[in-house]
Amino acid sequence: MEHSIDDVHTPNPDFDPTDPHGHGHGHHGHHIISARTLMTILLILLFFTVLTVALSRGEVWIQDTFHVILPQWLNVIIAMSIATVKAVLVCAYFMGLRFDKALNSIIMLICVAAVICFLFFTSIDLGNRGAVSQLRATVPTPGGTGYGLDRTYDGISTAASPRISTSGQPITEFRRNEKLAQLAMTEAAKHGRTEPNEADVAAGEAEFWRYYYNDYVKKGKHPHRHEHDEQNLFESLGFAHHDTNVIEPVDRPDLDAVSASSPNFSYRRTGITPHLLDDGSSHDAHGDAHAPSANESHDATPAETDPDH
Amino acid sequence: MATIDANKPDLPAAGAKSHPLYWKNRGFAHHFRNADEQFDACKLGMWLFLTTEVLLFAGIFCAYAIFRMLYPEAWTAGSHHLDWRFGGLNTIVLLISSWTVASGVRSAQLGNNAALIRNLLITLVCAALFVFIKLYFEYIPKLSMGKAPGTFFSYPYAHDPHEPLWWSVYYIGTGIHALHVFIGAGLLTWVLVRAIKYEAYGPTEYTMVETSALYWHLVDLVWIFLFPLLYLIH
Amino acid sequence: MTTVDTTHELDHHDEGSYLTPKYGAMGTVWDWMTTVDHKKIGVMYLFAVLFMFFLGGVAALAVRLELLEPVRIAADGSITGQLFGGDGEAIATGNQVYNRLFTLHGAIMVFMFIVPSVPASLGNFFLPLMLGAKDVAFPRLNLFSWYIYVSGSIFGIASIVLGGVDTGWTFYTPYSTTTDADHWRVLLMVLAAFVLGFSSILTGLNFIVTTHKLRAPGMGWFDMPLFIWAIYATSIIQVLATPVIGITLLLLIFERLFKVGIFDPGLGGDPVLYQHFFWFYSHPVVYVMILPGMGIISELLSVHCRKQIFGYRAIAFSSLGIAAVSFIVWGHHMFTAMGELASTIFSALTFLVAIPTAIKVFNWIATLYKGSIAINTPMLYALSFLFLFSIGGLTGLPLGALATDLHLHDSYFVVAHFHYVMMGGTVIAFIGGIHHWWPKMFGRMYNEKAGMLGCVLVFIGFNLTFMTQFFLGTQGMPRRYASYVDEFQFLHSLSTYGSWFLLAGFLTHLFNFIHSLVAGPKAPPNPWGGLTVEWETESPPIEHNFHHEVLVKHGPYDFDTVVPPHCDERDFPLPPQDQVRAH
């Protein structure tokens, strides 16, 4: 920065004529950000925090009111833009980059560039597996098969995590079945049976849903606050949401709209228990046989998905 | 560096003002040409360290991005288990702490030790509040319901088979962030103790305040991105 | 003309060398353990990484010995050719030992030897000296980083002592999450790599700040020796890439301990994600390994052929260029794991690396042109580097090209390629650099003839060991196998004989160095007539590096116009000044 001769005549408290570029200043020469600026920045940051929450809620409201599904990228773009603005404000003022040596800002920019490279190229691969040839497309078993979780090793056990055998099911399904089995046992115990029969299993399932819906969702214990999601969820599972006791599959071709909300890589939303509505013997252990893929619906009737039934 | 106890009787009787750690008496290391150069070097070093922290979190953000891209339903379903009100509250708490710590640097630059101590105390209270909200309203209730990462997942009402992955990313992301909250709070406590005991910081010597503050702002920066990514998905 | 300005006299005239013991035996040990002097820390690093090189080398020799002949099962059921496990034991046991051996060779050589090798030892010692500084910017951080290195290495060695790991040095999932689950060995080795990463970060951070803030007056960015440019570029990579391996290994530890599922397909995660994470660090770190070696070669070539380096700025910027490109090419390590789109993009980007690298090689060769080439150990090593590194670099091209890589992937061709770059590049440069700076570091000359003999042995042994592996690889020999078909035996046994030549070469150097420390002649301050600032001070340097504050008045390679400090003009005559082109 060039100082003209006028600067010397102007009473400028920060200017030292022996050191026009300010390199040799003592610490008093460092920029002290005014309290007013700091306060303003805080208020702006708080405003943006409220804004990002409000916009997110607004999107939910739009979806609920107009029964549309907004694409996910909208949510991401809005949230990340606001977060970036907030981060820039924190860096520039709270961290003082705006008044600091340019080098520190350059370092931060290089760092951001490295992060972008990292995210960008990793996503290019994992987001485009089947882009050229289907040979490389990944068709994972949703949630995994639990393979290897039940490995037993000889000698001392040092694995800190629980060792569970999920019999080829994803862990979510395994836990659900565990709970259902437990409820069925409770029902059986009520009738003095040691082994649950079909009626007990059915009663257990009803209890599962009753608890989930009445005691959990309705009482607000479940943070699933999106009205339309709850409706879609339960309807897709075959529950008319006014009467939880009627278990009756609902034919809802329009539910494809729900799946359309997700990018290509997603499979259909399965709801809580994909095979819960199949006939009594449908809780088979071979979850991977039912592996839903991108183009496969598992809300279909059992006859369509599993010829064995 | 040997710390010198201000209460030792063999020190000059003039009291804290002549204490070697009192900010006016601080020198600089022999390999620097002046105190300013040392200050700049320390700050540059801290910024470089912050870049390493950013790249550390980049790994978590990358895992988040990839799995959100692959399993959007799981992320939506998982996010619904989080309460944006606690997340928002924590954001506000951290923003305020960031503001107080920036004001603390300003106080040190102005030589106002009382204000520095006050600001640091508020910051530390905010840090404690953040951790408390995180633990008491988020981690403990969720873990007790079985919403836990990986094989610890035992929540029977999951909507999506990939929800355990969501919880893994959630706990690792917020957990490592919380670890940074602790480290940052530790640094600020160290600064606070020295400010109280020795008046160690003033207009010509506030390197430690500045660098600790930078670290604390990083904690805030990470949370600014974590909050919408974790709490505001729908 | 001299670079020393006597206007600012400092009180260091009476100081002894940094090696002079000032206290009793225990006091000296304590002094070294708590020192913040970059020179002592550099020397400690030097011995530590050379020890690690020895450990990794023993494992490499054992691996080669196993491959001397294939494992054969005779008609009567007896097993021959199996080194580990013995005749009576099952082949599987022997294979397991072999897996552990090559893993520990890789892990030790990468994490404990080659990554810290040049920057932490020679870099630590000479970066402040070459900048005319009294120390690195954060001396205590430097000591802290040394102790992190030590503790990381202890974890690694503990893992080996407990039996070793068989995951390969890359810790790919699911090998690293499922094998050895009843022991802590994998965890210890992963923890070692994690901890060593911190050491690397702190060293890099220290060097960047030192380069920015502690250059001597008169030393602009383009007056810095090219070694400093290389170390600077290295440090940028260390700071930006190493944290990612930190979080990767942390996730791996979580994966192993708690089965969080991020890399586990059994829980819906993706093991290829681990490879992305790992190579985002480990590809840039390949340049952490080679860049300092390139920096050393720039110094060695110009000093020992007494010629201004050709294309100073091109070499300096190509170091930064390599650092920048390193962050966008990691995918070429995983062509077989990725989708075609990403593979194609990464393959195209990979060829960008060739540009700055070739710029360097051309400039080095142009530097040699019409120079007065001294035939001594550092120069021989520099010439070996040019030869071996060029082969290593050029064989990288078929590996970067998608179509050929799918064929050569995981074969001995890959093994030969990266050994030509890592060993033929970095290790050769490192040993050349040690010879070049040995008089400065320890104040003793080494025996030139023994040094040259060692260099020749290493050169022959190296080519015998690894040139054969190119042929093995193209013929289809896969890496990481303890046995092979009979047709490969000739080449494999040649390779093993080569490794013995290598051993002989390194032992020659070792005895040469020990002899030099014990009975070597005292070294003058500037035996090679170097112009960089470290030759201004005494050999070995005094505690505070320089007697006077350094003021740099000439460039690091102005051999045409400047008589080197502490040197007689008769030993290093200047060319007629009217023939010297202005630089």
Side-chain angles (χ1 to χ4, degrees):
Chain A
M1 190 176 140
E2 291 295 323
H3 285 273
S4 71
I5 194 77
D6 292 335
D7 285 339
V8 184
H9 294 294
T10 320
N12 179 353
D14 284 342
F15 181 65
D16 175 6
T18 59
D19 182 26
H21 297 284
H23 292 310
H25 274 299
H27 283 267
H28 58 277
H30 288 142
H31 189 89
I32 301 177
I33 302 164
S34 74
R36 194 189 164 82
T37 314
L38 291 177
M39 193 59 186
T40 316
I41 297 299
L42 174 68
L43 291 177
I44 296 174
L45 288 170
L46 290 177
F47 166 74
F48 275 122
T49 307
V50 174
L51 184 71
T52 188
V53 172
L55 285 174
S56 167
R57 299 286 92 197
E59 286 167 39
V60 174
W61 181 80
I62 289 172
Q63 298 196 33
D64 286 351
T65 313
F66 301 107
H67 299 287
V68 290
I69 306 285
L70 295 173
Q72 277 226 350
W73 54 260
L74 189 72
N75 172 267
V76 176
I77 297 270
I78 291 176
M80 284 300 95
S81 310
I82 293 176
T84 308
V85 171
K86 283 166 77 180
V88 168
L89 283 174
V90 169
C91 283
Y93 291 93
F94 281 179
M95 299 171 97
L97 270 187
R98 202 183 149 207
F99 314 101
D100 209 343
K101 295 201 157 47
L103 178 63
N104 294 339
S105 307
I106 292 168
I107 287 172
M108 218 49 190
L109 288 176
I110 291 175
C111 162
V112 170
V115 172
I116 289 172
C117 282
F118 185 27
L119 294 182
F120 179 71
F121 286 102
T122 311
S123 322
I124 277 191
D125 174 35
L126 289 162
N128 292 289
R129 277 302 172 74
V132 179
S133 137
Q134 278 298 313
L135 195 68
R136 293 285 180 95
T138 43
V139 188
T141 308
T145 56
Y147 174 78
L149 300 180
D150 53 348
R151 280 262 183 108
T152 46
Y153 308 95
D154 48 18
I156 328 136
S157 160
T158 56
S161 53
R163 192 170 288 147
I164 48 173
S165 304
T166 69
S167 325
Q169 306 163 46
I171 190 160
T172 46
E173 208 174 310
F174 170 73
R175 293 297 188 199
R176 189 162 50 236
N177 292 337
E178 216 177 40
K179 182 80 182 174
L180 286 168
Q182 183 203 334
L183 287 172
M185 277 305 290
T186 317
E187 290 295 328
K190 275 186 200 164
H191 299 97
R193 282 189 285 267
T194 48
E195 282 293 309
N197 61 15
E198 276 186 25
D200 295 333
V201 171
E205 282 171 11
E207 171 62 19
F208 183 88
W209 294 110
R210 196 199 56 72
Y211 173 77
Y212 181 68
Y213 191 68
N214 291 337
D215 292 359
Y216 212 68
V217 180
K218 272 193 178 167
K219 287 186 185 168
K221 282 187 198 162
H222 192 281
H224 211 277
R225 289 202 175 70
H226 302 183
E227 208 51 50
H228 77 280
D229 263 8
E230 280 165 18
Q231 288 178 17
N232 286 348
L233 173 70
F234 284 96
E235 286 174 13
S236 72
L237 287 167
F239 289 93
H241 65 277
H242 296 299
D243 186 353
T244 55
N245 293 322
V246 180
I247 301 182
E248 180 183 312
V250 178
D251 185 28
R252 284 288 304 273
D254 60 306
L255 277 177
D256 286 341
V258 179
S259 328
S261 69
S262 52
N264 307 337
F265 322 105
S266 172
Y267 47 88
R268 288 279 303 272
R269 164 171 288 185
T270 59
I272 290 186
T273 309
H275 305 293
L276 189 67
L277 307 171
D278 304 351
D279 57 20
S281 65
S282 66
H283 295 292
D284 61 347
H286 307 291
D288 48 351
H290 295 286
S293 70
N295 307 317
E296 206 178 56
S297 162
H298 22 241
D299 290 333
T301 57
E304 281 170 30
T305 50
D306 197 340
D308 293 341
H309 286 289
Chain B
M1 180 192 301
T3 44
I4 298 160
D5 188 354
N7 301 320
K8 269 194 178 172
D10 56 356
L11 279 171
K17 296 287 176 193
S18 66
H19 192 276
L21 288 175
Y22 184 61
W23 59 268
K24 280 177 187 159
N25 301 330
R26 286 295 298 275
F28 52 91
H30 78 289
H31 55 290
F32 290 106
R33 276 180 283 271
N34 53 49
D36 230 27
E37 196 183 70
Q38 183 177 12
F39 176 78
D40 282 347
C42 290
K43 209 165 160 183
L44 178 61
M46 196 61 202
W47 273 105
L48 285 167
F49 188 70
L50 294 192
T51 64
T52 69
E53 294 283 10
V54 170
L55 275 145
L56 183 93
F57 279 102
I60 294 165
F61 284 116
C62 188
Y64 174 95
I66 295 299
F67 286 130
R68 183 169 179 180
M69 184 174 70
L70 293 175
Y71 317 126
E73 311 290 355
W75 254 228
T76 314
S79 176
H80 285 163
H81 293 286
L82 304 181
D83 193 333
W84 62 268
R85 287 169 299 192
F86 291 128
L89 186 62
N90 260 349
T91 312
I92 291 169
V93 166
L94 271 193
L95 284 175
I96 290 173
S97 74
S98 229
W99 171 64
T100 51
V101 90
S103 307
V105 174
R106 184 184 138 79
S107 316
Q109 285 171 323
L110 294 171
N112 187 345
N113 201 42
L116 171 64
I117 292 169
R118 195 170 60 235
N119 277 313
L120 289 176
L121 277 175
I122 300 174
T123 311
L124 289 173
V125 168
C126 284
L129 194 60
F130 179 89
V131 173
F132 173 74
I133 292 173
K134 190 97 229 146
L135 271 181
Y136 191 76
F137 293 111
E138 306 218 59
Y139 279 2
I140 293 174
K142 284 187 184 65
L143 287 172
S144 66
M145 279 194 280
K147 298 169 185 172
T151 43
F152 290 96
F153 187 85
S154 60
Y155 177 66
Y157 304 104
H159 289 205
D160 188 285
H162 291 108
E163 267 182 51
L165 268 188
W166 154 269
W167 291 114
S168 296
V169 172
Y170 169 78
Y171 283 109
I172 292 172
T174 54
I176 293 182
H177 177 262
L179 177 71
H180 282 75
V181 170
F182 279 111
I183 298 172
L187 284 172
L188 291 174
T189 310
W190 168 246
V191 172
L192 179 68
V193 167
R194 281 165 54 90
I196 292 172
K197 265 173 113 172
Y198 309 129
E199 281 187 53
Y201 310 105
T204 57
E205 169 54 42
Y206 61 97
T207 314
M208 188 66 194
V209 188
E210 173 93 27
T211 46
S212 310
L214 283 178
Y215 192 89
W216 188 256
H217 290 308
L218 177 94
V219 171
D220 189 25
L221 274 182
V222 172
W223 187 255
I224 282 176
F225 283 95
L226 275 181
F227 167 58
L229 287 176
L230 294 177
Y231 290 81
L232 301 180
I233 310 176
H234 54 75
Chain C
M1 196 195 287
T2 167
T3 61
V4 174
D5 187 3
T6 50
T7 51
H8 189 152
E9 297 256 336
L10 299 172
D11 258 352
H12 299 148
H13 285 288
D14 306 333
E15 268 185 283
S17 123
Y18 78 101
L19 288 171
T20 315
K22 285 191 270 316
Y23 317 95
M26 284 315 290
T28 306
V29 170
W30 181 247
D31 180 41
W32 277 74
M33 279 170 66
T34 56
T35 184
V36 290
D37 183 354
H38 69 100
K39 298 182 290 297
K40 287 180 181 172
I41 295 173
V43 168
M44 291 195 291
Y45 262 121
L46 181 68
F47 288 124
V49 297
L50 287 178
F51 175 69
M52 289 302 167
F53 182 59
F54 169 74
L55 277 191
V58 169
L61 285 169
V63 163
R64 280 312 328 162
L65 204 57
E66 164 71 73
L67 293 168
L68 185 60
E69 54 180 302
V71 180
R72 292 192 181 95
I73 307 172
D76 63 346
S78 63
I79 302 167
T80 57
Q82 191 174 29
L83 182 63
F84 312 117
D87 281 358
E89 292 179 48
I91 292 180
T93 319
N95 289 350
Q96 217 166 17
V97 178
Y98 179 82
N99 290 349
R100 292 196 180 138
L101 271 175
F102 74 67
T103 300
L104 91 86
H105 166 68
I108 289 184
M109 284 299 196
V110 170
F111 294 112
M112 295 167 214
F113 168 63
I114 204 162
V115 170
S117 64
V118 182
S121 61
L122 294 180
N124 236 327
F125 198 102
F126 286 105
L127 181 118
L129 277 172
M130 284 178 147
L131 292 171
K134 291 192 201 106
D135 208 326
V136 290
F138 308 116
R140 277 180 292 178
L141 196 67
N142 205 11
L143 181 68
F144 182 53
S145 136
W146 155 253
Y147 277 110
I148 294 178
Y149 173 79
V150 170
S151 34
S153 303
I154 288 173
F155 283 133
I157 291 174
S159 164
I160 293 163
V161 169
L162 288 175
V165 292
D166 57 0
T167 61
W169 74 275
T170 50
F171 304 123
Y172 268 13
T173 51
Y175 301 134
S176 52
T177 48
T178 53
T179 60
D180 262 352
D182 50 342
H183 301 288
W184 290 94
R185 297 184 299 226
V186 177
L187 269 183
L188 273 174
M189 193 55 103
V190 170
L191 200 63
F194 177 75
V195 169
L196 289 165
F198 279 100
S199 165
S200 186
I201 289 177
L202 295 180
T203 306
L205 186 154
N206 222 335
F207 288 172
I208 293 181
V209 178
T210 310
T211 313
H212 272 282
K213 295 292 172 195
L214 292 183
R215 294 193 309 277
M219 185 182 280
W221 279 91
F222 296 106
D223 303 319
M224 292 196 312
L226 286 166
F227 180 65
I228 306 288
W229 274 102
I231 293 280
Y232 182 73
T234 307
S235 305
I236 291 175
I237 301 176
Q238 282 180 316
V239 166
L240 285 180
T242 318
V244 177
I245 197 68
I247 189 69
T248 311
L249 296 178
L250 207 57
L251 288 177
L252 190 61
I253 290 171
F254 289 154
E255 188 74 58
R256 201 179 160 86
L257 278 182
F258 308 124
K259 298 213 176 71
V260 290
I262 287 177
F263 302 134
D264 184 358
L267 283 166
D270 192 347
V272 180
L273 188 65
Y274 174 83
Q275 301 187 12
H276 276 289
F277 273 48
F278 182 81
W279 288 112
F280 180 83
Y281 158 76
S282 288
H283 189 71
V285 100
V286 166
Y287 302 113
V288 166
M289 302 173 195
I290 191 64
L291 272 171
M294 292 168 158
I296 291 176
I297 294 305
S298 304
E299 298 298 318
L300 260 52
L301 282 175
S302 64
V303 171
H304 294 282
C305 76
R306 309 221 54 72
K307 192 152 164 282
Q308 174 92 12
I309 192 105
F310 188 89
Y312 174 90
R313 285 189 185 219
I315 296 181
F317 281 126
S318 63
S319 292
L320 294 182
I322 288 175
V325 173
S326 72
F327 285 96
I328 52 173
V329 297
W330 77 83
H332 62 228
H333 294 269
M334 33 194 293
F335 281 153
T336 51
M338 290 193 303
E340 282 91 343
L341 182 68
S343 298
T344 314
I345 292 171
F346 273 124
S347 175
L349 288 171
T350 295
F351 288 102
L352 288 180
V353 181
I355 300 170
T357 315
I359 286 176
K360 279 178 185 289
V361 174
F362 293 142
N363 280 314
W364 289 326
I365 293 169
T367 304
L368 286 171
Y369 179 66
K370 285 192 174 171
S372 74
I373 297 172
I375 297 299
N376 53 19
T377 317
M379 192 57 172
L380 282 188
Y381 267 112
L383 295 175
S384 308
F385 176 93
L386 285 183
F387 184 74
L388 301 176
F389 178 73
S390 298
I391 294 177
L394 289 171
T395 50
L397 297 178
L399 292 174
L402 195 48
T404 40
D405 177 76
L406 292 181
H407 174 66
L408 296 169
H409 178 84
D410 253 358
S411 74
Y412 262 66
F413 192 88
V414 179
V415 177
H417 158 69
F418 70 73
H419 278 94
Y420 261 84
V421 178
M422 297 292 95
M423 190 165 175
T426 311
V427 177
I428 293 288
F430 185 38
I431 298 172
I434 294 176
H435 279 94
H436 178 71
W437 281 302
W438 184 266
K440 179 54 74 187
M441 290 170 89
F442 300 105
R444 302 278 189 165
M445 295 306 287
Y446 59 88
N447 185 321
E448 196 64 69
K449 283 197 177 115
M452 280 157 61
L453 173 69
C455 179
V456 169
L457 282 174
V458 167
F459 184 81
I460 294 170
F462 180 83
N463 280 304
L464 204 53
T465 311
F466 293 108
M467 187 73 87
T468 46
Q469 297 186 0
F470 282 123
F471 299 105
L472 282 171
T474 44
Q475 287 169 24
M477 172 73 205
R479 64 193 283 207
R480 294 181 169 172
Y481 278 84
S483 186
Y484 46 84
V485 293
D486 290 348
E487 285 81 355
F488 293 145
Q489 191 179 354
F490 175 66
L491 287 171
H492 262 304
S493 50
L494 269 191
S495 182
T496 303
Y497 300 144
S499 68
W500 298 343
F501 273 93
L502 269 176
L503 174 68
F506 287 128
L507 285 181
T508 313
H509 286 317
L510 179 66
F511 290 126
N512 195 12
F513 286 144
I514 292 172
H515 176 263
S516 158
L517 285 180
V518 176
K522 205 170 164 354
N526 191 1
W528 317 121
L531 287 179
T532 40
V533 181
E534 80 269 26
W535 303 109
E536 310 267 356
T537 182
E538 290 167 24
S539 296
I542 56 165
E543 184 111 21
H544 287 83
N545 290 357
F546 300 99
H547 287 300
H548 316 281
E549 187 162 340
V550 176
L551 181 64
V552 178
K553 290 181 175 170
H554 58 70
Y557 307 110
D558 291 344
F559 296 105
D560 290 348
T561 51
V562 183
V563 177
H566 308 296
C567 284
D568 197 326
E569 195 173 345
R570 280 166 300 182
D571 295 336
F572 299 100
L574 297 180
Q577 289 301 299
D578 52 335
Q579 290 175 16
V580 174
R581 278 183 303 155
H583 289 293

